[in-house]
Amino acid sequence: MKVIILGSGVIGVTAAWYLAKQGHEVEVIDRQPAAAMETSFANAGQVSPGYSAPWAGPGLPLQVLKWMCSTASPMIIRPRIDFAMFGWMMQVLRNCNAHAYDINKSRMLRVATYSRDCLDALRAETGITYDDRQRGLIQLFRTDRDVAKAHKDMQVLSQHGVEHELLNPDQIAQYEPGLSGSRHLLRAGLRLPGDESGDAHMFTQRLAQKAAELGVTFRYETTIQALDASADEILGVRTSAGRITGDAYVVALGSYAPRLVRPLGLKLPVYPVKGYSLTLPVTDESRAPTSTVNDDRYKVAITRLGDRIRIGGTAELAGYNTRLSRDRRAGLEECFSELFGGGDLSQAVYWTGLRPNTPDGTPVIGGSKRFGNLWFNTGHGTLGWTMACGSGKLLSDMISQRPTEIPSLDLSIDRYAQ
């Protein structure tokens, strides 16, 4: 078939790769001049299946109220009249119970662990490099209460066979010597040895080149305007370069996907959650991370990418606003300085992007009953890089009508009432 993919981030490009490998004619359309120039450009850099968990949980409503009273809050809600945001938040609240949390976390772990295996296979097949490291992740806890909460997540990890271990501060410093000077701040750390790290932007651009060598066509600097549809199928895509047609259409537009399909009568519950990052050069190896850590207090990820350090975090509900916030930068800098300090913050590149979040944390992967040739690959939230390869392979098998290697029926848009 001829498959049109809308979006050239890490989600769209991995889907293009797998579809091309299965023999399809693939065309990717994006408004940017190159691949991975928006949400995939400077994310936290973590491939972290073991860290896959929905935001919506039993303690979230109370936690949000506490965060609203803190200047160092990892979550910010900008006051605005936004009915899409209100509706999305109400759906999040409906998922803030133990039963929903367990279901959603299980689905996320299923996709994320499968995706890690797909990435390992892709790396072995292609030899692709992207400042990648396979040295695990450590989630840092600063209070006994947070450690107690971690034990609940460890039970779910055990149920799904995800390797993990709980470390004391001295053991943490053995894996991350750069944290030796901040051991007094830590109570424990949850180590996930199967997690990885790497530059998603570098990966996506290099994979796009390999996909082009397979015959994939990339139409950059082409704005997607609308989908033309009949009662039960998509007929074409209207773009700034004219109308483009194919046999199947994949929406991989991240936070912008709901805007495209809304005129078709499809309600895609994806909302942009703004995140920030700093990328800075390493100046002192002894105080820099060797792999990647997550600070549970600040909800900040600190990752080593070659001779650089990436600091990523913050969840901000502000619609499609992509302006940089000075106070958000201060929070990232404070977390890094407390824990490590082996990088030059004065030379840091400050960036922001919009994460496409669903209310239950699970991505939307699959087709739609209403339009037989319309497919979705979006809503991965903070885990787009983690789930990209698995999502692309899963969707490619669906489109090719092949048996999928993991269960997929509960990932489609049809789990939401249309």
Side-chain angles (χ1 to χ4, degrees):
M1 290 187 292
K2 181 180 180 181
V3 183
I4 308 297
I5 296 180
L6 310 178
S8 71
V10 68
I11 298 298
V13 170
T14 49
W17 166 262
Y18 287 108
L19 284 162
K21 290 287 289 183
Q22 292 186 0
H24 297 288
E25 178 186 352
V26 183
E27 194 165 326
V28 181
I29 307 172
D30 198 288
R31 63 187 176 187
Q32 295 293 343
M37 297 303 291
E38 294 194 27
T39 301
S40 304
F41 184 75
N43 63 19
Q46 297 181 336
V47 179
S48 49
Y51 198 63
S52 301
W55 288 354
L60 181 67
L62 179 60
Q63 185 65 65
V64 170
L65 291 175
K66 292 180 179 178
W67 282 338
M68 290 177 68
C69 302
S70 170
T71 56
S73 170
M75 186 172 188
I76 299 292
I77 302 175
R78 303 290 184 190
R80 55 188 284 114
I81 299 176
D82 185 338
F83 294 109
M85 181 178 76
F86 297 151
W88 180 83
M89 290 174 66
M90 291 302 297
Q91 291 185 66
V92 169
L93 290 174
R94 285 197 287 270
N95 280 276
C96 288
N97 59 79
H99 178 69
Y101 180 86
D102 289 344
I103 292 174
N104 296 332
K105 185 175 177 69
S106 296
R107 290 191 300 192
M108 294 171 73
L109 278 170
R110 183 204 317 157
V111 178
T113 53
Y114 174 64
S115 187
R116 182 195 56 209
D117 295 342
C118 290
L119 175 58
D120 289 346
L122 190 154
R123 190 169 53 242
E125 175 187 358
T126 64
I128 192 170
T129 60
Y130 42 93
D131 279 343
D132 53 300
R133 297 188 178 202
Q134 292 77 45
R135 300 187 184 182
L137 175 150
I138 302 177
Q139 185 179 5
L140 304 174
F141 304 108
R142 300 189 185 219
T143 69
D144 290 331
R145 183 178 181 182
D146 291 333
V147 176
K149 291 180 183 177
H151 282 284
K152 296 180 181 179
D153 277 338
M154 290 168 64
Q155 293 175 5
V156 180
L157 293 174
S158 296
Q159 292 169 9
H160 289 268
V162 178
E163 187 180 357
H164 62 278
E165 59 179 331
L166 194 64
L167 308 176
N168 62 40
D170 289 335
Q171 291 171 320
I172 293 171
Q174 291 176 13
Y175 287 104
E176 286 288 353
L179 291 172
S180 296
S182 56
R183 278 178 294 183
H184 63 285
L185 299 174
L186 307 175
R187 297 299 297 169
L190 176 61
R191 181 172 180 263
L192 302 161
D195 286 8
E196 307 177 7
S197 59
D199 188 324
H201 173 70
M202 185 183 298
F203 169 87
T204 307
Q205 292 216 325
R206 291 181 176 179
L207 187 63
Q209 179 59 44
K210 292 181 181 296
E213 293 168 2
L214 284 179
V216 175
T217 299
F218 287 88
R219 287 179 177 260
Y220 295 122
E221 299 183 289
T222 302
T223 301
I224 298 162
Q225 299 170 337
L227 293 172
D228 291 331
S230 66
D232 58 1
E233 69 174 348
I234 304 301
L235 304 175
V237 186
R238 276 179 273 153
T239 77
S240 58
R243 192 167 181 266
I244 300 171
T245 60
D247 301 306
Y249 301 82
V250 176
V251 178
L253 291 171
S255 297
Y256 296 91
R259 290 182 168 186
L260 182 69
V261 301
R262 190 177 299 124
L264 303 179
L266 296 176
K267 297 178 181 178
L268 184 62
V270 171
Y271 191 81
V273 177
K274 189 176 179 180
Y276 296 85
S277 76
L278 292 168
T279 306
L280 54 150
V282 174
T283 56
D284 183 351
E285 285 284 351
S286 68
R287 299 174 61 210
T290 60
S291 183
T292 183
V293 303
N294 283 348
D295 185 337
D296 194 65
R297 175 186 176 186
Y298 288 95
K299 307 301 181 186
V300 166
I302 303 174
T303 302
R304 182 67 175 269
L305 299 173
D307 58 0
R308 301 166 295 147
I309 299 169
R310 176 73 49 77
I311 311 165
T314 300
E316 183 176 313
L317 301 183
Y320 291 86
N321 178 344
T322 56
R323 290 192 297 271
L324 291 167
S325 168
R326 183 178 299 178
D327 59 343
R328 295 297 92 199
R329 175 170 184 154
L332 297 178
E333 291 183 345
E334 181 179 354
C335 178
F336 175 71
S337 297
E338 285 185 3
L339 293 176
F340 289 103
D344 189 349
L345 288 167
S346 69
Q347 296 186 44
V349 177
Y350 190 30
W351 173 88
T352 187
L354 302 176
R355 312 180 189 104
N357 281 61
T358 59
D360 58 16
T362 309
V364 178
I365 307 170
S368 166
K369 291 179 181 178
R370 186 175 300 184
F371 301 99
N373 62 344
L374 179 63
W375 302 84
F376 291 93
N377 196 9
T378 188
H380 297 77
T382 59
L383 297 168
W385 182 201
T386 295
M387 296 182 175
C389 289
S391 299
K393 179 64 166 62
L394 188 63
L395 186 71
S396 179
D397 286 340
M398 292 178 187
I399 292 174
S400 302
Q401 298 184 343
R402 298 185 179 189
T404 60
E405 295 172 332
I406 61 172
S408 59
L409 291 178
D410 57 351
L411 303 175
S412 79
I413 188 175
D414 295 317
R415 72 177 188 263
Y416 300 105
Q418 293 295 320

